[in-house]
């Protein structure tokens, strides 16, 4: 579908800058002295007697404050002087070792469990999901091994085995999955790709389905405000996706997927070494679904028919002698969806009352660069630069509603890292710039605006290499529509005893709400759209501002010789202003500035335990108290369950001589009742109850690994066949006053089974 207006792009906005403030943030003199460095790797022994890395181990010189922490691959780099003789290596649950160091030769050290007798082999594995006992922020790292526990065809489906993220469908027709964290939807979560903001603006509704699961190397989930380095928009937390690297990814990887709903997907990675320092990869993703399904017999497709092609070319430059590493990405996506009534034909029925239908056609182009330099002589001193450009165009209609959007975005971030005095005191400082131009067509009304901001940030981290880690950050931004504002963030971790971590955080976030693209499901209704506030710079509305406060407690333990941990956390988000999305009038949806109280309380209890060799159990309970002041009163947030129970069990057999083994995974989710928006003013035939029923779903997958090169998998989603009846209100009269597709609380399609294969050549 073509736009009804010709879009014009104004010259880039150049915001006014308070030069003195910016220079104060950036030009902070930090002096370090040239010195040699020692590199090494800290490992442990798993059940197959293979060495696996230990992430987060403390490494420091005896009787000094010079230290380091091992990364996710178990490696570390630490300053070295000839007078340093004893290197201490410690990690919770392991014996603390003191090593004698005579020169800068690479160190490879294997830790031993404190609970193991001398004649017993240490039985532990690299965790698929890792929690840090040492970082000041509450961060969970999800590796690619965890993602393989489910079909995980795109990023929106990558959280099925994670209790911290809630996943549900946005409406009954588009097939779009939405995520929530701490009781808040994805617009309040800063979603980044390699720390570059990516799912925002025009891509907010469907962008999670634009990142294929096989492209993901790991995911870092941060609860709370996050770091000021990544911007001011994070309120509930941050989800960062690290992509696979051409240098370390397989030279060939193929993943084929087929579902019983006739969904087909293909992922292919082709990586090659171009020269000593250059590697490149071509990543191709395609998916298609062209079968019409109407399991609940309401005359509407249960899921859209669609086609997507997604291509990325990624270059990596590595020069360890000079401390340089760089990435260059170019990506193109074409995604088309069609949904609506079974007999809808877009060639004859588009924007008519012949039959209700919808088409969503999206094209997106992205280019990104990351440059990093680590001083070979001073490993704690580094400079990084990130920049990304994206062009996003969506042409769509929903019945008789038209929604088109074009979004051009530019992002740049420069970061300087160093230490003050010694490695206990680390700093990050830098500048960031964002530019966004939006052109939206909502039926016959055109909305066009430009947002531009420039800001400086400073973050200080204190780590005494023992029981205390504190990160304090602040940024000042000058935004052409939001003005000049300050964003403070504070995170602290204290370890009172072995295998424990108590954390606290507080932070402020600010964002402009894109009310149309973030709430596209409203177009698939007969509701009238009303913007009740005026005077603000964005749709007449004010920016959203919120404070997030959180505390958490992590305790590891050994029970019957097996490892486990338990986590309790509580987070509260208080809105100073929020754009209230009010569905309480069934004939309309209203947007207005908050007048009163709006908050989200989230409590989570999580238990992880290695029950016996190769068998892991994860249990979680979550409680939400999310309320907002509407014009009709203070009410629970619609379609947000107060209680959630989660269970995941994972087992794999011992690897055979050629690497063959079986993997078994199962995940159960139970959601309590959820409040529906009010329909009391509708005729009785078009009313829904005040609350939904409870709902529970079970997913399972079996994987047969034949060798390190080849494996096949079969699985099922919602295998107990739970299905929401009457997901669409008034499906027999889609152009009438009561048609609504947003009352979705559970699965619509029912059971779905799939199979696939993975083949790789290193």
């Amino acid at each position: 579908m073509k736009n009804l207006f010709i879009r014009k792009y104004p010259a880039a906005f150049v915001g006014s800058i308070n030069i003195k403030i910016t220079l104060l943030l950036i030009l902070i003199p930090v002096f370090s002295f040239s010195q040699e460095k020692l590199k090494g790797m800290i490992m442990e022994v798993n059940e197959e007697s293979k060495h696996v890395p230990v992430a987060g181990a403390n490494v420091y010189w005896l009787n000094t404050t010079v230290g380091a922490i091992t990364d996710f691959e178990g490696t570390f780099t630490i300053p070295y002087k000839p007078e340093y003789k004893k290197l201490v290596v410690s990690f919770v649950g392991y014996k603390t070792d003191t090593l004698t160091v005579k020169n800068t030769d690479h160190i490879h050290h294997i830790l031993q469990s404190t609970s193991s007798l001398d004649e017993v082999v240490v039985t532990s594995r690299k965790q698929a999901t890792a929690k840090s006992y040492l970082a000041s922020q509450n961060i969970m790292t999800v590796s690619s091994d965890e993602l393989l526990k489910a079909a995980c065809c795109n990023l929106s489906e990558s959280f099925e085995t994670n209790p911290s993220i809630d996943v549900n469908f946005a409406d009954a027709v588009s097939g779009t999955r939405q995520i929530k964290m701490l009781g808040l939807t994805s617009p309040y979560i800063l979603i980044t790709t390699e720390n570059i903001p990516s799912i925002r603006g025009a891509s907010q509704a469907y962008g999670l389905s634009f990142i294929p699961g096989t492209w993901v190397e790991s995911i870092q989930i941060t609860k709370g405000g996050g770091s000021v380095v990544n911007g001011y928009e994070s309120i509930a937390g941050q989800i960062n996706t690290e992509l696979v690297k051409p240098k370390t990814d397989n030279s060939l990887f193929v993943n084929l997927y087929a579902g019983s709903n006739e969904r087909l997907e293909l992922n292919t990675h082709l990586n090659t070494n171009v020269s000593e320092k250059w590697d490149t990869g071509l990543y191709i993703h395609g998916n298609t679904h062209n079968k019409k399904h109407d399991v609940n017999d309401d005359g509407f497709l249960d899921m859209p028919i669609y086609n997507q092609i997604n291509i990325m070319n990624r270059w990596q430059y590595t020069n360890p002698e000079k401390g340089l590493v760089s990435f260059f990405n170019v990506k193109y996506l074409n995604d088309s969806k069609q949904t609506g009534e079974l007999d809808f034909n877009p060639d004859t029925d588009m924007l008519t009352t012949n039959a209700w239908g919808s088409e969503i056609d999206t094209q997106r182009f992205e280019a990104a660069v990351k440059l990093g330099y680590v001083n070979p002589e001073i490993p704690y001193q580094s400079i990084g630069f990130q920049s990304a450009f994206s062009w996003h165009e969506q042409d769509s209609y929903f019945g008789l509603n038209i929604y088109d959007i074009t979004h051009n975005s530019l992002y740049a971030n420069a970061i300087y890292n160093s230490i003050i005095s010694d490695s206990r005191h680390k700093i990050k400082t830098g500048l960031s710039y964002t530019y966004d131009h939006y052109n939206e067509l909502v039926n016959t009304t055109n909305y066009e605006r430009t947002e531009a901001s420039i800001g400086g940030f400073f973050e200080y981290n204190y780590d005494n290499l023992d029981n205390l880690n504190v990160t304090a950050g602040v940024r000042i931004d000058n935004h052409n529509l939001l003005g000049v504002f300050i964003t403070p963030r504070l995170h602290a971790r204290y370890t009172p005893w072995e295998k424990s971590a108590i954390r606290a955080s507080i932070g402020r976030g600010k964002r402009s709400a894109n009310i149309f693209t973030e709430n596209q499901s409203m177009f698939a209704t007969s509701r009238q759209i009303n913007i009740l506030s005026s005077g603000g710079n964005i749709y007449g509305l004010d920016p959203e501002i919120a404070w997030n406060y959180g505390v958490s407690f992590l305790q590891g333990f050994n029970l019957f010789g097996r490892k486990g941990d338990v986590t309790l956390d509580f987070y509260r988000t208080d809105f100073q202003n929020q754009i209230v999305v009010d569905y309480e009038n069934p004939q309309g949806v209203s947007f207005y500035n908050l007048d009163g109280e709006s908050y989200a309380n989230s409590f989570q209890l999580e238990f992880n335990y290695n029950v016996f060799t190769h068998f892991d159990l994860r249990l979680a309970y979550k409680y939400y108290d999310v309320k907002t002041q509407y014009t009709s009163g203070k009410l629970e947030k619609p379609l947000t369950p107060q209680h959630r129970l989660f269970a995941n069990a994972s087992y794999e057999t011992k690897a055979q001589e050629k690497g063959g083994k079986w993997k078994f995974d199962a995940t159960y989710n139970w959601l309590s009742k959820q409040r529906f928006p009010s329909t009391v003013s509708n005729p009785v035939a078009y009313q829904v109850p005040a609350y939904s029923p409870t709902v529970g779903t079970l997913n399972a997958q079996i994987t047969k690994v034949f060798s390190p090169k080849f494996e096949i998998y079969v699985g099922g989603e919602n295998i107990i066949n739970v299905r929401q009846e009457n997901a669409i209100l008034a499906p027999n009269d889609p152009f009438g006053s009561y048609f609504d597709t947003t009352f979705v609380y559970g699965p619509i399609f029912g059971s779905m089974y799939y199979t696939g294969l993975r083949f790789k050549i290193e």
Side-chain angles (χ1 to χ4, degrees):
M1 173 185 170
K2 302 298 182 183
N3 288 333
L4 301 184
F5 290 89
I6 298 175
R7 299 181 171 93
K8 298 181 181 179
Y9 302 96
F13 170 83
V14 181
S16 60
I17 310 170
N18 188 323
I19 298 176
K20 292 183 179 180
I21 294 177
T22 303
L23 290 178
L24 180 63
L25 286 168
I26 306 309
L27 301 179
I28 297 175
V30 179
F31 299 97
S32 301
F33 298 95
S34 176
Q35 54 187 309
E36 293 185 84
K37 59 185 178 180
L38 174 70
K39 295 183 178 181
M41 178 177 288
I42 307 302
M43 312 287 283
E44 63 176 345
V45 179
N46 67 6
E47 301 91 329
E48 288 82 31
S49 298
K50 295 182 179 179
H51 295 173
V52 294
V54 175
N58 272 320
V59 182
Y60 59 94
W61 294 109
L62 184 65
N63 298 323
T64 76
T65 58
V66 180
I69 297 174
T70 58
D71 60 20
F72 204 61
E73 299 301 324
T75 62
F76 69 90
T77 301
I78 189 172
Y80 172 79
K81 293 181 181 179
E83 57 265 33
Y84 295 159
K85 302 296 183 182
K86 301 292 184 180
L87 186 70
V88 180
V89 182
S90 67
F91 188 59
V92 290
Y94 293 84
K95 179 183 176 183
T96 298
D97 294 321
T98 303
L99 313 178
T100 300
V101 178
K102 298 180 179 179
N103 50 49
T104 56
D105 291 344
H106 190 278
I107 287 180
H108 185 100
H109 182 67
I110 302 172
L111 290 173
Q112 294 182 344
S113 171
T114 56
S115 62
S116 300
L117 299 175
D118 291 341
E119 66 273 20
V120 178
V121 176
V122 177
T123 57
S124 59
R125 289 179 292 156
K126 179 181 177 181
Q127 292 180 303
T129 299
K131 298 177 181 178
S132 173
Y133 286 87
L134 304 174
S136 59
Q137 296 181 337
N138 188 1
I139 301 176
M140 176 187 302
T141 299
V142 180
S143 72
S144 57
D145 293 337
E146 180 74 17
L147 302 181
L148 295 179
K149 292 182 178 181
C152 188
C153 296
N154 58 59
L155 189 60
S156 70
E157 300 168 318
S158 299
F159 305 104
E160 298 288 351
T161 62
N162 190 295
S164 295
I165 305 295
D166 302 307
V167 184
N168 196 18
F169 289 100
D171 54 66
V173 293
S174 70
T176 305
R177 294 177 190 248
Q178 65 176 3
I179 64 171
K180 294 181 181 180
M181 184 162 69
L182 306 186
L184 298 173
T185 53
S186 59
Y188 299 106
I189 308 168
L190 178 62
I191 304 177
T192 60
T193 302
E194 299 188 325
N195 287 313
I196 296 176
S198 56
I199 311 299
R200 58 187 298 274
S203 65
Q204 189 64 251
Y206 308 114
L208 288 172
S209 65
F210 297 162
I211 302 179
T214 65
W215 294 7
V216 177
E217 181 182 73
S218 64
I219 300 173
Q220 293 80 46
I221 301 172
T222 304
K223 290 185 176 182
S227 170
V228 295
V229 175
N230 298 313
Y232 52 81
E233 294 181 319
S234 171
I235 291 177
Q238 178 176 343
I239 297 175
N240 179 60
T241 301
E242 286 292 322
L243 303 180
V244 293
K245 313 296 189 291
K247 192 174 185 65
T248 55
D249 192 24
N250 298 290
S251 60
L252 172 65
F253 175 81
V254 177
N255 178 64
L256 288 171
Y257 168 97
S260 60
N261 56 5
E262 301 190 39
R263 171 182 176 180
L264 300 174
E265 299 213 3
L266 169 66
N267 290 280
T268 302
H269 303 182
L270 298 167
N271 295 283
T272 185
N273 176 254
V274 178
S275 66
E276 181 182 356
K277 297 180 175 63
W278 284 96
D279 297 88
T280 186
L282 180 65
Y283 306 88
I284 303 172
H285 168 85
N287 65 60
T288 181
H289 174 253
N290 291 301
K291 178 70 173 180
K292 294 184 176 182
H293 298 277
D294 182 19
V295 177
N296 57 4
D297 296 321
D298 61 2
F300 277 75
L301 298 178
D302 295 328
M303 61 186 68
I305 57 178
Y306 55 80
N307 293 282
Q308 182 187 117
I309 183 70
N310 203 339
I311 301 173
M312 178 174 67
N313 182 213
R314 185 162 164 85
W315 290 79
Q316 179 177 358
Y317 174 81
T318 309
N319 189 337
E321 291 80 11
K322 294 186 177 181
L324 294 171
V325 61
S326 301
F327 293 93
F328 306 90
N329 300 342
V330 178
K331 179 181 173 184
Y332 173 75
L333 171 133
N334 189 302
D335 182 82
S336 61
K337 297 181 176 72
Q338 177 192 319
T339 188
E341 293 185 275
L342 284 172
D343 55 358
F344 171 75
N345 182 347
D347 294 332
T348 58
D349 303 332
M350 180 179 68
L351 296 173
T352 73
T353 57
N354 297 339
W356 195 98
S358 170
E359 286 186 289
I360 307 167
D361 296 324
T362 303
Q363 292 189 80
R364 183 176 175 88
F365 172 80
E366 301 175 43
V369 58
K370 292 182 65 177
L371 306 174
Y373 168 74
V374 178
N375 191 330
E377 302 298 326
I378 311 172
Y380 283 108
Q381 191 176 86
S382 65
I383 298 173
F385 175 75
Q386 304 167 308
S387 184
F389 168 79
S390 65
W391 166 79
H392 184 112
E393 183 174 77
Q394 175 187 320
D395 294 333
S396 55
Y397 62 90
F398 305 80
L400 300 179
N401 288 320
I402 297 171
Y403 180 65
D404 296 342
I405 181 171
T406 298
H407 178 195
N408 292 290
S409 178
L410 177 64
Y411 171 84
N413 197 20
I415 310 168
Y416 174 74
N417 296 266
S418 190
I419 62 175
I420 302 175
S421 179
D422 57 55
S423 60
R424 294 177 302 171
H425 308 276
K426 303 180 181 69
I427 64 163
K428 293 181 181 180
T429 187
L431 276 175
S432 60
Y433 174 77
T434 60
Y435 168 86
D436 297 285
H437 177 73
Y438 298 93
N439 197 339
E440 296 176 281
L441 174 66
V442 181
N443 293 321
T444 59
T445 304
N446 198 72
Y447 296 87
E448 186 173 4
R449 77 181 190 276
T450 297
E451 295 189 40
S453 69
I454 186 166
F457 56 85
F458 179 80
E459 187 174 81
Y460 166 75
N461 173 255
Y462 172 75
D463 185 356
N464 69 356
L465 304 179
D466 184 15
N467 61 353
L468 181 64
N469 189 314
V470 179
T471 301
V474 64
R475 63 178 297 132
I476 300 177
D477 290 272
N478 189 330
H479 191 286
N480 67 316
L481 299 181
L482 308 185
V484 178
F485 56 93
I486 298 176
T487 304
R489 306 269 171 84
L490 177 66
H491 302 266
R493 183 270 302 169
Y494 176 68
T495 300
W497 50 76
E498 187 181 15
K499 299 183 185 179
S500 66
I502 299 174
R503 290 184 172 89
S505 67
I506 180 173
R508 182 180 189 264
K510 188 171 185 176
R511 63 181 297 271
S512 54
N514 292 282
I515 61 174
F516 298 117
T517 191
E518 293 170 5
N519 298 279
Q520 290 189 45
S521 58
M522 68 183 175
F523 294 119
T525 71
S526 293
R527 296 173 181 262
Q528 296 296 312
I529 300 172
N530 307 300
I531 302 177
L532 303 184
S533 297
S534 61
N537 290 327
I538 302 173
Y539 310 111
L541 301 166
D542 296 331
E544 295 191 297
I545 304 173
W547 285 87
N548 182 278
Y549 318 88
V551 292
S552 69
F553 174 66
L554 169 63
Q555 179 66 58
F557 60 85
N558 286 309
L559 181 64
F560 305 119
R562 316 303 304 181
K563 291 183 181 179
D565 63 71
V566 61
T567 304
L568 297 91
D569 62 46
F570 174 80
Y571 286 86
R572 178 181 175 90
T573 304
D574 272 317
F575 284 92
Q576 291 182 310
N577 185 57
Q578 185 179 25
I579 305 306
V580 179
V581 185
D582 190 341
Y583 277 80
E584 299 307 312
N585 174 6
Q587 272 69 58
V589 54
S590 298
F591 298 92
Y592 48 85
N593 295 319
L594 176 68
D595 182 13
E597 188 180 27
S598 180
Y599 62 84
N601 293 325
S602 170
F603 169 79
Q604 181 171 323
L605 169 63
E606 182 178 341
F607 173 83
N608 294 275
Y609 186 54
N610 178 228
V611 182
F612 52 84
T613 303
H614 297 281
F615 181 79
D616 294 310
L617 181 65
R618 180 180 302 155
L619 304 173
Y621 164 74
K622 189 148 54 179
Y623 170 78
Y624 286 141
D625 175 24
V626 186
K627 290 187 172 67
T628 299
Q629 183 70 43
Y630 298 91
T631 56
S632 55
K634 187 176 178 180
L635 302 170
E636 295 177 30
K637 188 76 172 178
L639 297 171
T640 302
Q642 277 199 330
H643 307 278
R644 177 190 175 193
L645 297 176
F646 171 94
N648 173 263
S650 176
Y651 174 72
E652 62 182 61
T653 61
K654 184 177 181 179
Q656 302 301 309
E657 183 177 347
K658 295 184 179 181
K661 58 182 175 181
W662 289 88
K663 297 180 180 180
F664 304 87
D665 297 283
T667 302
Y668 179 76
N669 270 292
W670 178 85
L671 304 178
S672 67
K673 64 181 183 179
Q674 304 171 49
R675 189 182 76 83
F676 283 131
S678 175
T679 56
V680 293
S681 63
N682 279 354
V684 175
Y686 300 119
Q687 292 182 5
V688 298
Y691 287 87
S692 75
T694 62
V695 60
T697 58
L698 176 65
N699 299 343
Q701 180 177 284
I702 300 173
T703 303
K704 170 57 179 174
V705 180
F706 292 94
S707 71
K709 294 183 177 180
F710 181 68
E711 61 187 59
I712 61 173
Y713 56 92
V714 295
E717 296 182 357
N718 188 22
I719 60 179
I720 54 179
N721 200 31
V722 174
R723 204 166 65 234
Q724 178 181 345
E725 300 295 338
N726 304 318
I728 299 177
L729 193 64
N732 59 328
D733 187 18
F735 297 100
S737 301
Y738 309 109
F739 177 71
D740 201 320
T741 68
T742 61
F743 292 89
V744 177
Y745 65 86
I748 299 170
F749 184 76
S751 299
M752 193 280 292
Y753 298 92
Y754 60 87
T755 185
L757 64 86
R758 303 183 185 100
F759 175 75
K760 55 189 175 182
I761 299 176
E762 295 184 357

